Each structure stands twice: as C-alpha cells, then as structure tokens.
Amino acid sequence: MRHRIAVVGSGPAGLTFARVMHRHGYPVAVLERDPAPDARPPGGTLDLHEGMGQLALNKAGLLTEFQALSRPEGQAMRILDTDGTVLRDWRPRPDDRANPEIDRGQLRDLLLGPLDVQWGRSVTRVVPGTREGVAVHFADGRQETFDLVVGADGAWSRTRPAVSSVTPHYTGVTYVETSLDDVDTRHPDLARLIGDGSVAVYGVNRGLVAQRNSGGHVKVYAQFRAPLDWHTDLDLADVEAVRSSLLALFDGWAAPVLDLLRHGTAFVHRPLYVLPVSHTWTHVPGVTLLGDAAHLMPPLGAGANLAMLEGAELAESIATCRGDLDEAVRAFEEQMWARAGRWAKITTAGLERLVSPDPADALALFDRVQPS
C-alpha cells in the first residue's frame, strides 16, 4: 500500500530520508520554505562519521560519490595556546576516512539528485488526527493532508508542536561566525596557521576556531559565555563595531590568532540553543521528528550525522514495513531516543569543557577523542 508521506525541511535529515525512500521506490513530498536550493548560504563543513553519516549515505547508494567529494585531509586538527604556541597537531593518515569533511552545499547537492523538492512551501503548523489524515498548513493559506509527516525542520521546527510542547533553551554559549575567502592567496600566513583542517585556541570561558572549507574558504567561530542579551549596546549589522567588540573580548591573544577576526568579511550572531538532553514525547500517530527538530544539541560533530542516520533508518523501516506503518514509526522513535539521548549527554558535557573557566579542560577533551 502506498502511503502519502511528506518530510518538512530539506536539510541533511530530510533529504537523506527522501533519498533512501526514493531508492526503495517510494515517493515523498519534500516541503521546503526556502524558494530555491541556493537561497541562503549553506553553512560550513561537516565531518561525516563512518558509522553514522557515511552509513546513511551508503544506505542511499551515494557513498562512492561522497568519497570523491570529501576531504580526508580536513580531519587535521591543531590546537594553540593563546600566545600562539602549538599544543597539539593531529594529522590524519593518508588512508584515514573515519571522519572526512564535506561542504554542506556539496552534501545538499549530492542528496538532492533526482528528488523533486517543493521549494517555497513554508509550513506554519501540522495538525494530526483529522478525518483525512495529518493536515499540513502553509503560509499561503493552503492545506494538504498526508498519512505521515516527518518533521526535519530544525531547531525552531513548526512540526514539533504536533508532538511536543518543549522548546529550545539557550546554553549560555554564543558563537559569532565570520569568513575568510581565497585564504591561500589573500592570507597565506593564516592558511598555514589553519593547515588542511581546523585550528582551535581556548582561553577562559572563550575560544576561537577556524575551519577550512573547500575552495580556499574558511569559517571562523568566536565562542564565549555571555547572557543572551550581551549585544544590547552593539549593532550586530555594523561589521567594524562587532569586530572591535570581539577583538576586545580576545584582547591579549597572539596577533596571528586575532588576525582571524581582523580579516573577517562579515559577522553572524549564533547563540547556541538546545533541547533537553532526554527529549522524548508520547507517540502521535502520523507525525514524527528527525535531527535537530527531535534532539537539538551542541554542534560538536554529532548532530548532522545523527540526523542523516535517522533519516535513512526511518526510510528503511517504512520501505520494508509489511505491517502497520504507525508501528514501524513508533519502533523507530524508541531507537532514536535512546541513541540521541546518549549523544546529547556527550555533546552537552563537551560544550561545558570546551568553553570552560579552565582551558586545560578543552585540551584534555581533545586528547581523549583524537587518535594518538
């Protein structure tokens, strides 16, 4: 029996779900509020883990294409002291493909493939239990019904209220993101500082991380503990004012490290929000969640990987289901909750150590997770 299935959101979770369903011959309506794939900057780079994101791509039949696009050398990680001293310098082996990097835009295009995404379909709410099925309401006033709606619409999910009243809360940690373009030509000293992967510097309750993307593009993240309204007297649209504020916050750090901020082209405010570590809900027939919509956690390498694996697993559960669709979804949720809860605890503890009163906590965390 063919079910009417929609997924809200065309991020890694939603596209992986739709792509694995497509591979099994099941159509899925992909509903995305953005008017086009390139309507917004796609974000930075992702490291896809062998047993998570890469496994999901394998289920979608895309692992070979991913390997051709990914950057194994991007696994390199260097940690500096605030005075510029190199404390750690991890470099991957030539055959190491445990966590290779890929730009989010490249991953999006890989997953899109033959999918027919309905661009510009902004979902405002999802109402289960109607006579025709689950009602999806759109910003333009229209409405459609489905047998299953999968919410893969991120931190501020419009699908989540159909199953849970919980909303994200602020962690106390804020990121401010900036970028460097054509770094190898325009800023060769910084290119050498960053290397093939990432460079990180940790101080008291703050850190500065630069991560290489493809094409000479670098994302820089200033991280610090602050009240949510820390910028009340600062115009976040004023690039030079934000730059000056950040340079003051990191005053005394080595000049080459501060150059990561001095040469930034624009600044984006990204306060970190999370859902409760053990977020679950009473199962609602016809609606479920994936990724950040289900278990928003600190961005420490697990979120996108979990989201993609969940999308692939839910798709396989539905495609191979020989009984009741709702029972397949319910079983998937139980599995998702257990695994996501473990990772939420790990990443929450990790954030506490990375942006910590004692910078040695960050170094000790990396010593534990990086290969010797």
Side-chain angles (χ1 to χ4, degrees):
M1 180 179 176
R2 295 287 172 157
H3 298 283
R4 300 168 299 167
I5 298 175
V7 60
V8 183
S10 67
L15 290 182
T16 303
F17 170 75
R19 193 64 191 268
V20 175
M21 290 289 283
H22 180 273
R23 192 182 190 199
H24 286 274
Y26 288 83
V28 171
V30 183
L31 309 174
E32 169 55 51
R33 67 179 180 179
D34 285 346
D38 57 356
R40 290 183 295 146
T45 184
L46 294 171
D47 59 318
L48 295 192
H49 305 178
E50 274 185 319
M52 298 171 71
Q54 291 185 60
L55 177 58
L57 289 173
N58 192 40
K59 292 176 181 293
L62 297 171
L63 188 58
T64 300
E65 290 96 321
F66 164 75
Q67 290 171 341
L69 290 169
S70 66
R71 305 187 311 279
E73 68 278 7
Q75 298 170 99
M77 181 70 191
R78 181 178 294 149
I79 298 182
L80 309 181
D81 201 346
T82 56
D83 64 3
T85 302
V86 178
L87 300 176
R88 299 289 187 275
D89 195 356
W90 291 285
R91 303 184 188 187
R93 300 183 307 274
D95 61 343
D96 186 352
R97 289 192 167 271
N99 306 294
E101 298 281 344
I102 186 170
D103 288 8
R104 284 179 179 268
Q106 292 175 321
L107 178 63
R108 175 202 62 206
D109 293 344
L110 176 63
L111 288 167
L112 275 173
L115 296 178
D116 184 17
V117 176
Q118 297 181 29
W119 301 102
R121 303 298 308 279
S122 180
V123 173
T124 57
R125 64 190 178 109
V126 173
V127 182
T130 72
R131 182 177 302 175
E132 293 80 15
V134 180
V136 176
H137 295 258
F138 298 93
D140 62 7
R142 287 186 291 173
Q143 173 183 327
E144 293 183 35
T145 55
F146 299 90
D147 300 307
L148 174 66
V149 176
V150 178
D153 45 348
W156 306 103
S157 169
R158 297 300 181 91
T159 312
R160 187 190 301 123
V163 300
S164 172
S165 61
V166 174
T167 57
H169 63 270
Y170 178 52
T171 61
V173 174
T174 283
Y175 282 18
V176 177
E177 173 191 318
T178 190
S179 301
L180 305 172
D181 290 313
D182 198 14
V183 68
D184 299 288
T185 301
R186 298 175 62 186
H187 309 291
D189 290 343
L190 288 181
R192 286 188 290 271
L193 181 76
I194 298 163
D196 291 330
S198 301
V199 63
V201 190
Y202 295 100
V204 176
N205 286 326
R206 67 205 64 192
L208 200 56
V209 177
Q211 189 174 45
R212 185 180 283 270
N213 291 226
S214 63
H217 186 72
V218 169
K219 290 286 188 184
V220 179
Y221 304 93
Q223 312 168 353
F224 51 93
R225 292 196 176 274
L228 190 56
D229 62 353
W230 68 274
H231 54 84
T232 300
D233 298 323
L234 180 66
D235 181 1
L236 293 175
D238 185 335
V239 172
E240 294 309 318
V242 175
R243 192 193 318 278
S244 295
S245 177
L246 292 176
L247 288 172
L249 184 65
F250 292 92
D251 184 44
W253 288 31
V257 173
L258 295 183
D259 280 345
L260 294 168
L261 299 173
R262 290 192 181 102
H263 295 298
T265 53
F267 294 91
V268 182
H269 181 222
R270 299 195 185 282
L272 297 190
Y273 286 83
V274 294
L275 287 169
V277 165
S278 298
H279 179 232
T280 62
W281 55 88
T282 301
H283 174 74
V284 175
V287 184
T288 193
L289 305 174
L290 299 174
D292 287 350
H295 48 69
L296 180 65
M297 60 186 70
L300 299 183
N305 279 278
L306 280 173
M308 293 175 66
L309 184 57
E310 290 161 6
E313 289 177 342
L314 177 60
E316 287 190 335
S317 296
I318 294 170
T320 59
C321 174
R322 295 294 177 265
D324 183 68
L325 171 66
D326 192 57
E327 285 304 314
V329 174
R330 187 193 298 264
F332 159 78
E333 288 175 340
E334 295 287 345
Q335 175 180 308
M336 173 180 64
W337 291 335
R339 182 173 55 209
R342 292 193 298 271
W343 276 104
K345 289 178 182 176
I346 291 170
T347 55
T348 298
L351 183 64
E352 289 297 315
R353 297 185 70 180
L354 288 179
V355 190
S356 159
D358 185 359
D361 281 347
L363 191 62
L365 177 63
F366 278 102
D367 280 339
R368 185 168 64 82
V369 301
Q370 287 286 345
S372 58

